Amino acid sequence: MPDSYSAALTIDIGAIVANYRLLAGRTAPAVCGAAVKADCYGLGAAMIAPHLRRAGCSHFFVATVDEGMALRPLLPGAKIYLMNGLPPGSERDVAGNELIPILNSMGELERWKTANRGLGARPAGLQFDTGLNRLGLSHDDALHLIADPHRLDGLDLALIMSHLSCADDPEHPQNRAQLRRFREITDSLRLPPRLGNSLGGNARALRSLAASSSIFLGS
């Protein structure tokens, strides 16, 4: 039982939903997704994600397979992306729970292609590291995929993404430099046609560069 000296954290779900609607309004007509990794940053993903779903959010980002599996029954029909990629041996769990792995390496890309041959075509995303130096395919990887587009054959690509490293500073030159690199990569890739998978739902892969702070940088 907390006493008068104990700290208490009050979570205002209405405020979280209002923040989502504000960001979704700023990004429109683009799609606005919600990052709910790490148990929604400690706020309780099982409690908050369904409220965001009812507010119109249909794209959710988690870090790990177990996070995605926990959310799947709470978010029927939503797209749930695995930011940390495709761990070895997780292919059946990912496919069986209709999760969308964000492929961060050439090894992950090849393993998902192999899994698709046995499990059927399932959507995936690609992340390119344009300057954050955390996750994603390298510049050399991007050049290999541009030079040999058949490396992407058999993939149903729902999303291509990167992440700005200095979005909190609107004047930082890295923001425009990363945008330029991202556009160069995505404009140069010859992507296979979407396979019509119900999880993908778009004729072309979505492109994402802006996390929360980046939304305030403008179009």
Side-chain angles (χ1 to χ4, degrees), residues 36-120:
V36 293
K37 62 184 180 178
D39 197 26
C40 206
Y41 299 90
L43 302 182
M47 179 172 58
I48 291 170
H51 283 277
L52 294 174
R53 183 75 174 104
R54 287 191 286 273
C57 184
S58 59
H59 296 253
F60 293 84
F61 293 81
V62 297
T64 61
V65 177
D66 59 335
E67 291 176 355
M69 291 174 65
L71 277 183
R72 171 45 71 205
L74 303 177
L75 300 172
K79 298 173 179 63
I80 302 177
Y81 302 88
L82 305 177
M83 298 273 298
N84 285 9
L86 185 70
S90 68
E91 292 83 357
R92 287 193 175 275
D93 284 335
V94 171
N97 287 274
E98 298 183 341
L99 307 176
I100 303 175
I102 302 296
L103 308 176
N104 291 301
S105 71
M106 297 297 285
E108 290 181 359
L109 188 155
E110 292 301 327
R111 282 196 291 108
W112 192 240
K113 285 175 61 175
T114 299
N116 282 351
R117 287 195 286 271
L119 301 171

Side-chain angles (χ1 to χ4, degrees), residues 20 29 37 48 55 87 89 94 133 146 153 162 177 179 184 197 205 209:
Y20 168 75
K37 62 184 180 178
I48 291 170
V94 171
N133 298 318
I146 291 168
D153 287 352
S162 189
L179 175 60
E184 288 172 350
N197 191 296
L209 182 63

Side-chain angles (χ1 to χ4, degrees), residues 4 15 18 32 69 84 98 117 123 130 185 198:
S4 60
C32 184
M69 291 174 65
N84 285 9
E98 298 183 341
R117 287 195 286 271
T130 58
I185 293 169
S198 60

